[in-house]
């Protein structure tokens, strides 16, 4: 962990000045982004029902016309076949409301579903594939969201628990083990990603790698002179 932090933490005085004014900027309508070279991300508002054991995401539709399904793999290294072989495939399926499975539990807060498979536990990939994309995706929600983790790698969770708890104040759900249907009104599938070990501050939510470094320093109560 120390070498990863030293790789990313700089010395300057930096403020996290680009907090989102509202999460509605992110999830005010269904959004499908499959054009990003690193990750596929689906952000949906509506009636969303998740059955973890079958890796199925049901999305309510008002009409039987145009119903379709597709698969997503929520890990931000989609062009790397070696990494993606270690990531579970999820089926997203539109379904008319009367044919949806019943909700066993309904959550009032948004969820982010992502995988800790792939190349997790490699320090470089921990940051490039997971921690930086997770910060980019989750930070605008100001801790009011649930993490649904597929391909749960418990040593990774334990190692980075301080970061996860700083991004969400709720318990993590190991979604693969859930045989009941859990429901949400807002859900993000996959993690947003920019360049390797970097953030594009010109794109919403306008975070920079400096903001991320400051977030790490604050999370671990680190001295600014850690690199000296």
């Amino acid at each position: 962990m120390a070498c990863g932090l030293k790789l990313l933490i700089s010395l300057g005085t930096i403020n996290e000045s680009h907090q989102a004014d509202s999460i509605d900027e992110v999830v005010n309508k269904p959004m499908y982004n499959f054009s990003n070279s690193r990750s596929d991300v689906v952000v949906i508002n509506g009636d969303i029902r998740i059955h973890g054991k079958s890796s199925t995401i049901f999305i309510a539709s008002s009409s039987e016309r145009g119903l379709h399904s597709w698969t997503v793999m929520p890990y931000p290294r989609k062009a790397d076949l070696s990494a993606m072989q270690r990531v579970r495939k999820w089926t997203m399926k539109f379904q008319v409301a009367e044919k949806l499975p019943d909700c066993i539990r309904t959550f009032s807060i948004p969820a982010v579903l992502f995988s800790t498979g792939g190349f997790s536990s490699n320090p470089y990939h921990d940051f490039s594939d997971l921690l930086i994309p997770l910060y980019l995706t989750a930070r605008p929600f100001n801790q009011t969201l649930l993490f649904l983790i597929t391909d749960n790698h418990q040593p990774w969770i334990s190692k980075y628990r301080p970061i996860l708890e700083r991004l969400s104040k709720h318990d993590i759900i190991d979604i693969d083990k859930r045989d009941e249907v859990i429901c949400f009104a807002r859900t993000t599938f996959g993690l947003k990603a920019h360049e390797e070990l970097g953030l594009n501050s010109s794109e919403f939510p306008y975070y920079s790698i400096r903001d991320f470094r400051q977030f790490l320093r604050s999370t671990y109560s680190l001295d600014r002179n850690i690199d000296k």
Side-chain angles (χ1 to χ4, degrees), residues 49-86:
R49 309 188 184 196
I50 302 174
H51 185 244
K53 203 165 186 180
S54 67
S55 304
T56 306
I57 302 149
F58 298 94
I59 306 165
S61 174
S62 59
S63 170
E64 291 191 357
R65 295 182 62 185
L67 295 179
H68 61 283
S69 64
W70 71 98
T71 59
V72 292
M73 299 174 73
Y75 184 83
R77 193 163 285 274
K78 68 180 186 181
D80 191 318
L81 296 180
S82 179
M84 300 310 284
Q85 286 176 353
R86 307 173 190 180

Side-chain angles (χ1 to χ4, degrees), residues 123-140:
Y124 176 90
H125 291 287
D126 283 349
F127 280 88
S128 186
D129 298 356
L130 287 168
L131 296 176
I132 295 176
L134 188 60
Y135 171 81
L136 178 66
T137 305
R139 188 64 171 165

Side-chain angles (χ1 to χ4, degrees), residues 13-103:
T13 301
I14 302 151
N15 294 318
E16 289 187 80
S17 58
H18 301 302
Q19 290 292 322
D21 293 332
S22 169
I23 60 174
D24 287 334
E25 293 181 58
V26 189
V27 288
N28 61 351
K29 61 182 179 180
M31 180 178 70
Y32 313 84
N33 182 5
F34 300 137
S35 62
N36 186 285
S37 62
R38 296 194 60 204
S39 65
D40 290 335
V41 178
V42 182
V43 182
I44 298 179
N45 261 356
D47 186 348
I48 304 145
R49 309 188 184 196
I50 302 174
H51 185 244
K53 203 165 186 180
S54 67
S55 304
T56 306
I57 302 149
F58 298 94
I59 306 165
S61 174
S62 59
S63 170
E64 291 191 357
R65 295 182 62 185
L67 295 179
H68 61 283
S69 64
W70 71 98
T71 59
V72 292
M73 299 174 73
Y75 184 83
R77 193 163 285 274
K78 68 180 186 181
D80 191 318
L81 296 180
S82 179
M84 300 310 284
Q85 286 176 353
R86 307 173 190 180
V87 178
R88 196 175 192 186
K89 290 183 179 180
W90 284 75
T91 299
M92 306 192 77
K93 183 181 296 186
F94 280 96
Q95 189 65 270
V96 291
E98 56 267 25
K99 294 183 179 180
L100 289 171
D102 292 335
C103 296

Side-chain angles (χ1 to χ4, degrees), residues 174-216:
D174 183 352
I175 192 63
D176 296 347
K177 295 181 178 180
R178 290 297 186 104
D179 197 19
E180 72 273 18
V181 174
I182 57 176
C183 300
F184 299 88
R186 294 179 171 180
T187 311
T188 301
F189 303 96
L191 299 178
K192 298 178 181 180
H194 294 161
E195 64 267 22
E196 296 278 350
L197 283 178
L199 292 167
N200 184 350
S201 60
S202 67
E203 294 183 14
F204 181 85
Y206 315 116
Y207 296 142
S208 69
I209 198 64
R210 287 186 168 188
D211 294 323
F212 179 67
R213 290 165 180 160
Q214 174 61 23
F215 168 78
L216 291 180

